[in-house]
Amino acid sequence: MQEINKAYNPKEVEEKWLRIWLENKLFKSTPDSNKESFSITLPPPNVTGNLHMGHAFGNTIQDVLIRYNKMSGKNVLWQGGTDHAGIGTQVVVEKDLSKKEKKRKEDIGREEFLKRIWQWKEKNGNEIIEQIKKLGCYMDYDRLVFTMDENYTKAIRKVFVELYNKKLIYRGKRIVNWCPKCTTSLSDLEVESEEIKGKLYHILYPFDLKDISKGGITVATTRPETLFGDISVCINPNDGRYKKLVGKHVYLPLINKTIPIISDEIIKMDFGTGAVKTTPAHDANDHEIFNNNKDQIEKYGTHFFPYPVIMDAKGKIQDLNNIGIPDEIKGIERFKAREITVQKLEEFGFLKKIEEYDQTQDKHDRCGTIIEPYLSDQWYVKMEPLAKKAIEVVEKDKKIKFIPERYTDHYLNWLKNIKDWCISRQLWWGHQIPVWYKKSVDRKKAGDRSQELGDSHQSFEDIYVGEDPPKDIENYVQDPDVLDTWFSSALWPFATLGWPQNTDYLKTFYPTSVLATAREIINLWVSRMVFMGLEFVKDIPFKEVLIHPVIQTPDGKRMSKSKGNAIDPLEMIDKYGADANRFWYFSVGITGNQDVRFPGRKGKDGKWESDTLEQYKRFANKLWNASRFVLQNLEENKKYNSDLSELNLGHLTIPDRWILHNYNELVIRISNDFSHTRYNFSEISKWLYRFIWDEFCDWYIEIAKQQLSNADLKENTQKILYSVIHGIIRLLHPVMPFITEELWNALPKVELDNRFIVEASLPIGDSKFIDDSLYSRFSYIIDTTREIRNQRQMLGIPWVKEMDVRLYTQNKFEKEALVKLSSYIESLTKSQVTLLNDFEPIKPSTGALVRDTRILIPLTGLVDLDNMLNALNKKKLQYQKDKESQESKLRNTNFISNAPQDKIEEVKARVNELENQIKTIEEQIELLK
């Protein structure tokens, strides 16, 4: 038995055990096929990242599952690692280069720039892993994978080549999200949207450019600078204002070119004027209109077919197709070009109106640049055949389960409406696409591609796609683009386990058991891991997907460093301790907030609550003090066994049997929840909190203090105290690993327990201790005792004064319980209890109602009556406010129509309870007058 400090110091305990765990390689995994395996792959954080709330929350959930399954006897692996974070890392190093050397990456060249990134990665890339360790994460740190490791790169190239050979990868020209500053395409996840007050420009497209009085058609647009790329004006065929104009031509304002008026039902008649300009090279919707109406456009004729490109990769207006863009606009940045275009439109009478317009504006999440829809040659994955398999394993075969279930539809809807996936990025850092173009002396196939590659004198007649470079490499040049980081991340569950080799780890731990992640990457990552796993390993990558909530600010907003409202989890660990933080994350669970002190408060997302975190710090202290009490009351040098089966029920007191009922019920409920993969973490945290704080610490330990002074009861009481503390620290360990490890190593043990608690088994509930009748009786005694204590505290009656307590009830169950057990009320409230049938008022007195039992406490000589009347009136006012609040719900037609019936009944019951409480207080006030 070890002595533990009087006060719990989270920082000291956490630093101590993290060091010991790592020194002893406690988290090291082995591909042991003799045990059932349980595995999780960490969603790889970016090497540029620091631990944020989302990481801390998700990692806690994963760590709880790993530790719980380890203690359940399974062979576990938590596979970790980091993502190379293509654009994010490149931007960081570019800024560093500019700041320190006043240079751009182009000044030092690609090879040297990549060397700088690798140097930066070696110095800073592991920082987030070190931060993750502070949470106590049970991850195999000897198996960390980086998405640009040698084996991972081999896997990437193999996947690309095989998909290319299956004709599932191709090169095409499409509209993409484009950052003119970073000059690369972006995924949807790299785009942030915000609502802004924009402008809607009403522009006349005239029938006669020289005489606009002859009329025309007025279009509404938010981007007048792109009108030079228009190939048509489009209206809804059902729009009576314009349908007679279909097939006619109008002039493009400012240039002498005509375009046709066409029709498509996609046009909203109530948007702007009901007529829109179509610019296929610079708007995704317009590109779709073009593809759906090629025949119509070609039939009526336009000045340029298929469509002109009027902007370069840096967002400057360029007359690339010689369509006659005014000189003062050519070469101008897009937003300056907008100003000049609007000025000229107004000057020549084409601008009819400008109005305020609420619109969504997309920005690059890294640099804040406004996104440009841009027509570009990119590499694509053909999604339809891959998506079909990913749909079937979830919808038809039910092999993957989403929790909460509502996210199944989110996953399926996206896959059923999927478009081909753009996988190329115009960056230097990342997996360079394994495609090489053969050099040639002629320029038959040079086109724009030669410009992109930086050599206008080369063309590329032949293409080579392979896992290794071509043998005559000097005759080829590699495609300069890199792969989308989501392409490499899609291989994460199997590439981290050694694929394409059929390693022991791959055979043992794939498919993984659970993926825990956030909802915003279901489409971008979860679905892609599914179809890549099916395509290359012929199996699903995971069996269950836990979609955890987003941690929001206290006022319900999304945390953001750029907005200055992000809460640093490392600061919270320093302030409250890792275990308190972990318990809070766990209590939020999968369904959202639920303060374990106040059940029922839950929703889709979790709001940060520092007061709750402070309470969980006190919870850790409570457990520490309870454990210290138990250790101080065990026999010196005696070894204890936690096996409760040796206890003789006939020799136990009612409180003994009550706590053993509660303890074993807790063990059974938690075991059932985990074994049936309900993941009801918020409920489990509530059960743990209530048992440890309320039932064990506040009640049983209080009673045990009395029993320990009784020679006949002492040994059994010690046995129960030891067994329960031994069990609850094992139950709590997956959630609060540091404090439970310290307490575990302080306990005297006779059985062959391992040094580390995670290597011990979880407790097993014993149904022989379950006694619902006894539980009900003694819980009633506890409730009555609590109310008498509350009355003493509320009235300020000193503990040195013994109270006369009179209990009135005609309830048979309550009478029997009081007859047998009222001595516990007396000892726990320092009172003399009298049991009576018929209520007899005594003045002055106070009282309360517990179920059907009326409590009356004569007050002569005990209290200041004026103070007591004030306290009762305040309590009555609060009950009245609560009652009004509940009644307002019942008057609310929306609540009555939409709330579940059990919730409505719960509110009605609460109203009835409050009415009884108010009535009781009013009677108490009368007794004091």
Side-chain angles (χ1 to χ4, degrees), residues 39-44 62 77-80 492-494 496-497 512-516 525 529 541-542:
S39 57
I40 294 177
T41 53
L42 172 77
Q62 293 168 72
L77 167 68
W78 189 3
Q79 176 63 55
W492 187 253
F494 54 90
T496 52
L497 298 177
T512 61
S513 307
V514 177
L515 173 73
W525 190 45
M529 285 189 286
F542 28 71

Side-chain angles (χ1 to χ4, degrees), residues 28-73:
K28 188 170 181 60
S29 62
T30 56
D32 183 352
S33 58
N34 294 323
K35 293 182 178 180
E36 181 184 352
S37 65
F38 181 89
S39 57
I40 294 177
T41 53
L42 172 77
N46 293 339
V47 286
T48 57
N50 286 298
L51 193 74
H52 58 59
M53 250 339 140
H55 293 137
F57 183 19
N59 292 347
T60 296
I61 297 299
Q62 293 168 72
D63 194 53
V64 169
L65 294 173
I66 286 288
R67 288 179 181 272
Y68 185 91
N69 280 278
K70 170 72 174 176
M71 296 178 76
S72 298

Side-chain angles (χ1 to χ4, degrees), residues 219-247:
V219 305
T221 180
T222 59
R223 306 185 68 209
E225 72 279 6
T226 64
L227 68 83
F228 307 108
D230 292 354
I231 61 163
S232 66
V233 170
C234 193
I235 58 98
N236 191 299
N238 302 310
D239 194 332
R241 295 171 295 174
Y242 305 123
K243 61 182 179 181
K244 291 181 180 179
L245 298 179
V246 173

Side-chain angles (χ1 to χ4, degrees), residues 84-217:
H84 65 279
I87 194 167
T89 308
Q90 180 164 314
V91 166
V92 167
V93 179
E94 279 189 88
K95 286 181 179 179
D96 192 57
L97 181 66
S98 175
K99 182 179 179 180
K100 293 180 179 177
E101 302 181 37
K102 309 299 182 187
K103 291 180 180 179
R104 300 176 305 127
K105 67 180 189 297
E106 290 81 7
D107 296 330
I108 62 174
R110 183 167 189 157
E111 185 177 349
E112 177 60 26
F113 183 70
L114 292 179
K115 284 183 183 178
R116 302 285 184 95
I117 294 183
W118 277 106
Q119 290 168 0
W120 181 93
K121 186 266 176 186
E122 293 305 313
K123 181 180 178 181
N124 304 292
N126 208 44
E127 187 173 334
I128 192 165
I129 296 296
E130 294 304 311
Q131 293 169 348
I132 286 171
K133 289 177 182 177
K134 291 188 176 184
L135 279 167
C137 293
Y138 194 100
M139 193 183 299
D140 190 340
Y141 296 104
D142 292 334
R143 282 189 50 81
L144 296 177
V145 172
F146 178 51
T147 51
M148 288 187 68
D149 285 343
E150 183 179 355
N151 189 74
Y152 208 101
T153 299
K154 288 179 180 178
I156 293 292
R157 289 192 168 192
K158 182 177 179 65
V159 166
F160 184 97
V161 171
E162 288 193 15
L163 289 175
Y164 179 84
N165 290 335
K166 292 175 182 178
K167 299 190 179 347
L168 293 175
I169 283 184
Y170 66 92
R171 189 163 175 80
K173 190 182 285 286
R174 303 278 174 82
I175 294 284
V176 297
N177 296 320
W178 186 266
C179 176
K181 182 178 180 180
C182 301
T183 60
T184 183
S185 59
L186 302 171
S187 70
D188 290 341
L189 192 68
E190 295 164 309
V191 175
E192 286 185 346
S193 298
E194 62 179 359
E195 296 300 317
I196 65 164
K197 288 284 185 184
K199 290 183 171 63
L200 195 61
Y201 301 87
H202 293 244
I203 304 169
L204 174 66
Y205 282 51
F207 294 131
D208 188 332
L209 194 62
K210 295 180 180 178
D211 185 1
I212 64 174
S213 66
K214 292 181 180 180
I217 190 167

